[in-house]
Amino acid sequence: LEDGSYLPANENFDRGVDLWNRKVWYYRYADGYRDRSREDLAAEKYEELLASFPDDRKGLLDYADLETYERARYEHAEELLGRVLENERYDYDALLLLGDTYTEWARESPEKHENARYSYATLLERYGNRDEVMLRMLRYFIRTDNTDEVRRLTNYFQDLEDVAIDPHIY
């Protein structure tokens, strides 16, 4: 995999999985393919992982991240995150990524903004005002042209002393 020999790498992977089927190998290969911009091969590894371990939370989240940010396959990401949320209705990471997925999807389908807002609002209601979620709400208000809320949240963040600001949002 490291030298770009993907066919032999997959053959070695298959032999290894036949002997000892461990989740960590799927993650390593999927990450390796992602690092090399081979999203198609990474997706295959996630599919293989989920065939062996259907409810693997990390695999579902990582695959949904790939589908959202690298392949723009938002509907599939939504379905994967739905599987996580079936097991844990208020899974923080799944709800956050679901909101982010809807935010990205809204570039193509603006009606998805409301889905994003709902995901973030659910997180705020369940977990309180976490800066990470508040920044996403700021991004939501920017993209939906809600100037009053943008000002309110900008002032909120300017008053904080120790906060990690995502420059892409702020």
Side-chain angles (χ1 to χ4, degrees), residues 148-162:
D148 292 338
E149 288 298 321
V150 169
R151 273 194 210 103
R152 186 182 69 74
L153 282 174
T154 301
N155 290 335
Y156 167 81
F157 283 111
Q158 286 176 348
D159 290 340
L160 296 177
E161 290 182 21
D162 190 29

Side-chain angles (χ1 to χ4, degrees), residues 21-109:
N21 195 6
R22 296 183 52 205
K23 294 177 191 180
V24 68
W25 292 110
Y26 294 96
Y27 304 143
R28 286 185 184 166
Y29 270 71
D31 290 345
Y33 288 133
R34 288 179 82 172
D35 290 345
R36 288 156 185 81
S37 299
R38 293 302 309 263
E39 292 83 9
D40 55 331
L41 295 174
E44 286 178 18
K45 280 299 165 244
Y46 288 126
E47 288 292 335
E48 291 172 23
L49 166 73
L50 296 175
S52 293
F53 306 98
D55 294 326
D56 182 65
R57 180 181 177 276
K58 178 178 173 18
L60 289 164
L61 290 171
D62 288 353
Y63 193 9
D65 183 86
L66 172 79
E67 296 292 72
T68 296
Y69 292 112
E70 297 171 45
R71 293 173 32 120
R73 295 189 63 220
Y74 307 117
E75 194 169 339
H76 189 225
E78 177 186 43
E79 182 257 316
L80 293 165
L81 294 167
R83 289 170 55 184
V84 175
L85 294 168
E86 283 175 12
N87 292 326
E88 177 55 45
R89 182 177 179 184
Y90 297 108
D91 185 289
Y92 182 88
D93 297 319
L95 281 170
L96 190 66
L97 182 53
L98 184 60
D100 293 348
T101 299
Y102 287 133
T103 298
E104 294 301 313
W105 197 350
R107 293 175 189 256
E108 298 172 7
S109 302

